[in-house]
Amino acid sequence: MIKEYIKIAIKSLRRRPVRSWLTMIGVVIGIFLIISLLSLSGGVKTAIMQQLRMMGKDLIMIMPGELTDIVTTFIGGLELTDDDIEAIKKAKGVDVVVPMTYKGEAMRHKGEKKTVLLCGVPIEDGLDILRTDMGLELKEGRWPIPGKREIFAGYLVPEDIFPGMKVGAEVTVRGKQFKIVGVLKSIGNKSDDSQVYVDLDIFREITGERTGAKMAIAKAKPDYLVEEVVENIKENLEETRKRRKGEDLPSYTVLSSDKITGIVGSIMNLMQIAIFGFASIAVVVGGIGIMNTMYTSVHERIREIGIMKAVGAKSKTIVLIFLIESGFFGLVGGIGGIVLGLGLAKIVEIYCQTQHLFLLKASITPQLILFGLAFSFIIGCLSGFFPAKKASKLKPVDALRYE
Amino acid sequence: MPKQPLIKLKDAWKIYQLGEVELAVLRGISLEIAPGGFVTIMGPSGSGKSTLLNIIGCLDIPTKGKVFLNGKDISELSQDELAEIRGQKIGFVFQQFNLLPNLNSLENVMLPMVFQGRPENERREKAKALLTILDLEKRISHRPAELSGGEQQRIAIARAMSNDPEIILADEPTGNLDSATGKMIMEILIDLHKKEKKTIVVVTHDPYIANYSKEIINLKDGQIIADHKRAGKVLWKK
Ligand SMILES: Nc1ncnc2c1ncn2[C@@H]1O[C@H](COP(=O)(O)OP(=O)(O)OP(=O)(O)O)[C@@H](O)[C@H]1O
Ligand SMILES: [Mg+2]
C-alpha cells in the first residue's frame, strides 16, 4: 500500500510545484553546505595527514616558543641558539641534528627579480634525513655538493616563479652567483613547493646570520624510544637555559613526528565537527521550512483529509501520507544538495590542482553520500511529524464541514 | 423472529458546546433501519439531518445515547475503529461530491480499496467495472475538475460502492445538480436498492425519491416529528 500512498503524496506535491521547489531549496542549501564542506575538509585532512605520514617515525622537531603560540614563534623571529643546537646534539639517544633556517631573499634569473624563501639546510649531515625521512625527491638534476654555491629548487620554482628555468641555470642572490643543480618533485602545497634550498654554511655566509636556526630536526638512534629521546632533549634544553640565568628565556616545543600527526589530526577533527555543527544549522532551517509548508498544506487540505477518513483512512494512514510528503522534500532536497555539494568540492579540487595551491582531493565517499541522504530524509520526516499528527487528529465530520 | 435492524439508534443526542451555551442539535433520536431498507430523511435546514446521517454512517458518535450496527454498540469505539467500519460497511455520497482533486476518476474510485489494503489488480478491475456500469469508462483518467457535476456525482457513487458496503448514505446528493441530472442520480440510487439490495439512507428534498421511499424520517429541531412508515402516510407533503 505504501506505493499508493507515495503516489498520493507526490500528486499533491505536484499540484503546487513552486512551493514544493522553494521548500526543497531550503534543504538543498543546508545539505549543500554540509556535503561540500565535509568533503573538502576531509580532503584537506587526508592531504595533510599524508604529508605528515611521509615523515620518518623517529624524527623529533624542536622549535623555540610554546606550542600554543606557534604563530608568534614564526612571525616573532624566536630562534634556537647554537647552544641550544649543541644541547640537542648532546641529548641521550640523538643520532643527528639538522638545524634549519630560512629567510626571504631576492633572487635574480635572466634579468628577472623575484623574492623566494631561501632555506638553509646542512647538506652534509642533513641530506639523508631530508630524503629518507622528510620525503624530498628529485624530479631532475642532482643534490648539491656541500660547501658549494649550488641550489636545489622546489617543484613550482621553474613552473611558476621563473618559468622556463632549467637545471644548470645561473641565479644571483645578494650579488653572489649560484647554480641550480636540482628540482624537487611536488610536496603537495604551494608554499613548500616554492622554496629554494641551499647548504646551511653558504646560507650563513651570504645572509650574514652566522648563528642559530629557526628550528631543528633531530633523529633518534634506532635503539631508543622516540618519546624518551624527546624527554632527554627537553631536559638538556632546560639546563642550557638555566645556565644563561638572568635572561628572559624562551621556552621550547619538542615534538615527535607521531605527536605532531596526533595534534594535527585532532585539530582537523575539531574543525570538521565545527563545520558540521554550523552547516547543520542551515539544514535545520531547511527543516523549519518544510514544517511551515507542511502546516500550510495540512490547513489547505483539511477537507481532503476529511474525505479520506470518511472513506476509511485511519489516523496512521494520514500520518504516513504526510510524512511521505515531508520526507520527500527532505530526500529530494538532500539529493540536490549532495550533487551540488560534491560538484563544488570537485571544482575546488580541480582549481587547487591546476593552481598548484595544495594537493587536495575532495573526499567523496559512499558514507558521506549515505549520510547526506539519511540526514536530509530524517530532517524531512521530523519536520513533517507534527503537521502530520495534526492532520491525523482531525475529526472527519469537522474536516468535511470545513470550507 | 423479526430481522435484526442493520442500524439502531437509541435515544441519541448530539450536543455542541458553544462557549457557555449548549446547543442540542439532535434531541433523543431513536430509530431502526432494517437491512435492505430505503430511508429518506427530510426536514428544514438546520434541523439536524446531516448530523443524524453522520451518526448513522459512523462518521460521528452521539454525545449521549447508543448506536448499534448489526447489533454491535459502536458509540464507544475509537476513531480508527470507526474508520475501519466506514471503510468496510458504509459508502458515502455527498452534496459537494467530495472527490480528491489530485486523483483521476479511477484513482478516486480505488481509494477506499487502497485503505482496505486490497491488491492492485483487484482494485483496478473493480473500479473499472463500476465506472463502466455508471457509463463513465471514457472518463477514467479525467480529474474531477474536468468533469460535469453529474459525472462527478456518479464517480462518487462508484467510490461509495467500491468496497461493497452494506449501506449507502447520501446527503443531498442532487443538491448541486440540475433536475434532470438529479433524477439520473436518484435513479442510480434506486437501482442500487432494487438490484444490488443495498440499504440506502438519503437526505433529500426531492419529491421523486420521497415517493419511491417507503420510510421517511421527518426531523425538526433535532427531533423526529413524524415517521412515515409508522404513520402510514406521506407526512412531508404539507
Ligand atoms: N461542529 C458543530 N459545532 C456547532 N454547531 C454545529 C456543528 N455541526 C453542526 N452544528 C449545528 O447543528 C445544526 C444542524 O446541522 P446539520 O448540518 O445537521 O443541519 P441540516 O439539517 O443538515 O441542514 P441543511 O439542510 O442546511 O444541510 C445547525 O444549526 C448547525 O449549525
Ligand atoms: Mg445538511
Side-chain angles (χ1 to χ4, degrees), chain A residues 398 401, chain B residues 16 18 23 25 44-51 172 205:
Chain A
D398 298 335
R401 281 173 64 89
Chain B
Y16 289 108
L18 300 173
L23 178 66
V25 175
S45 180
S47 56
K49 305 183 294 294
S50 298
T51 310
E172 303 193 42
H205 303 288

Side-chain angles (χ1 to χ4, degrees), chain A residues 1 3-5 7-8 11-16 301 303-318 321 394-398 400-401 403, chain B residues 16 54 59-60 79-80 83-84 86-87 90 92 94 96 98-104 107 110-120 123-124 143 159 163:
Chain A
M1 285 310 116
K3 198 177 110 204
E4 300 306 316
Y5 300 148
K7 264 198 218 160
I8 292 174
K11 279 191 169 147
S12 74
L13 296 181
R14 285 226 306 251
R15 194 166 64 180
R16 293 179 187 81
R301 281 149 67 196
R303 214 184 159 81
E304 287 178 41
I305 295 162
I307 297 169
M308 290 198 274
K309 286 197 154 185
V311 301
K314 292 184 186 166
S315 302
K316 66 168 198 280
T317 308
I318 303 289
I321 290 174
L394 287 170
K395 287 203 181 137
V397 239
D398 298 335
L400 282 170
R401 281 173 64 89
E403 291 304 326
Chain B
Y16 289 108
N54 290 340
L59 210 51
D60 203 357
Q79 286 290 332
D80 278 354
E84 177 97 30
R86 287 195 298 272
I90 295 162
F92 283 97
F94 303 92
Q96 297 89 343
N98 281 346
L99 299 172
L100 290 191
N102 303 326
L103 305 184
N104 67 27
E107 289 160 344
M110 293 196 297
L111 193 64
M113 299 188 266
V114 170
F115 296 141
Q116 290 309 309
R118 287 167 67 179
E120 160 102 45
R123 290 200 305 261
R124 198 164 285 277
R143 301 238 186 137
R159 179 180 67 186
N163 277 327

